[in-house]
Amino acid sequence: MRVAIYLRVSTEEQTPEDQLKDVLGLVKTKDYVLINEKQSAFKDDIRARPKFKELIEDVKKGRLSHIYCWDLDRIYRNRTKFVGFWRLCKLNNVKLISYRQEWLNKLENIPEPFNEMIEDWLINFYGWIAEDESKKKSERVKKAFENHNGKKWGRPKLKVNKSEIVRLRINEGLSIRDIAERVGIDKNKVYRVLVSQKAI
């Protein structure tokens, strides 16, 4: 049976490279299938995520032993759908492992039957938190849209000084994270600039 790594990003600023680096630290085999998908966290329509739909079919058909992800909210931000997917994995003996939820991997150390009771409660609780956070973000976006008065809305685009980013990397040897903090932009954007300027 195969091992799958599922990575989902939801904005142009996000790249799957950082997620993959973290997740690979957990994977104990080099024989895995990598699944990348770009889809907003606010849209839980499975039709908009064709690769995830295929992943569900693989779970149902017993083709997978493990699914690794960076964060459980990469699966779903809807509590009911997330819990349903979790139970589908359990039913088909597929272990779901998340880089950001280390507590998930420690539940096996709890004696039976308490491990299953605590696991069920934690999964439902986490699903509720992810859904609540998604709703808050969605409300903030809608409010920004309502208040924009016909002008361009959302976070203003930051001017990127590509030559300064390259200089900090080559001349000063700063890491991508340090450069991002110095120039005040997202580290994924720094990474893309360095790649485009062939400075990485």
Side-chain angles (χ1 to χ4, degrees):
M1 288 193 290
R2 296 183 302 171
V3 168
I5 297 177
Y6 180 75
L7 307 177
R8 179 179 65 79
V9 295
S10 56
T11 67
E12 291 293 342
E13 286 74 29
Q14 295 176 321
T15 58
E17 284 81 8
D18 287 337
Q19 290 185 17
L20 179 59
K21 182 179 177 183
D22 291 335
V23 172
L24 283 176
L26 301 175
V27 180
K28 295 180 170 62
T29 178
K30 292 183 179 179
D31 184 23
Y32 60 83
V33 57
L34 179 60
I35 304 167
N36 284 314
E37 206 153 42
K38 185 184 173 200
Q39 173 62 47
S40 170
F42 303 125
K43 296 177 183 177
D44 278 321
D45 187 351
I46 195 65
R47 292 170 296 181
R49 299 166 66 187
K51 294 181 181 177
F52 185 68
K53 187 175 180 181
E54 290 176 14
L55 184 72
I56 290 176
E57 288 303 310
D58 283 344
V59 171
K60 289 179 179 178
K61 292 177 181 177
R63 295 174 179 160
L64 299 173
S65 61
H66 294 73
I67 297 174
Y68 291 85
C69 63
W70 185 70
D71 191 305
L72 293 178
D73 70 9
R74 303 293 87 191
I75 303 297
Y76 278 117
R77 284 199 168 187
N78 175 291
R79 185 190 66 82
T80 303
K81 291 179 179 178
F82 171 72
V83 172
F85 180 76
W86 173 266
R87 288 179 176 158
L88 178 68
C89 288
K90 291 283 286 183
L91 183 66
N92 290 279
N93 297 313
V94 179
K95 187 163 183 179
L96 182 59
I97 299 173
S98 168
Y99 170 78
R100 295 194 70 194
Q101 283 77 39
E102 291 184 41
W103 49 265
L104 194 62
N105 308 323
K106 296 178 180 177
L107 293 176
E108 295 177 348
N109 300 329
I110 300 173
E112 294 183 349
F114 305 107
N115 58 340
E116 290 189 9
M117 289 187 286
I118 293 172
E119 177 183 270
D120 190 59
W121 183 84
L122 282 173
I123 290 300
N124 274 279
F125 181 70
Y126 177 81
W128 175 81
I129 288 196
E131 182 175 310
D132 186 60
E133 182 62 23
S134 182
K135 285 179 181 176
K136 287 176 183 175
K137 287 182 180 179
S138 182
E139 286 167 7
R140 287 197 293 267
V141 170
K142 287 175 184 175
K143 191 166 186 179
F145 181 76
E146 290 167 359
N147 296 332
H148 82 292
N149 295 323
K151 299 177 183 177
K152 191 171 183 180
W153 58 278
R155 285 180 284 186
K157 285 191 174 181
L158 296 169
K159 291 184 179 178
V160 178
N161 187 334
K162 294 181 180 179
S163 60
E164 175 65 6
I165 290 173
V166 172
R167 187 190 69 77
L168 290 171
R169 180 67 169 183
I170 294 176
N171 295 350
E172 297 190 26
L174 296 183
S175 68
I176 290 175
R177 187 186 302 269
D178 290 338
I179 295 172
E181 290 177 4
R182 179 81 67 90
V183 299
I185 64 172
D186 184 87
K187 63 181 181 178
N188 292 320
K189 191 167 285 187
V190 170
Y191 174 81
R192 288 202 300 275
V193 168
L194 293 173
V195 169
S196 70
Q197 300 298 306
K198 298 180 180 178
I200 197 165

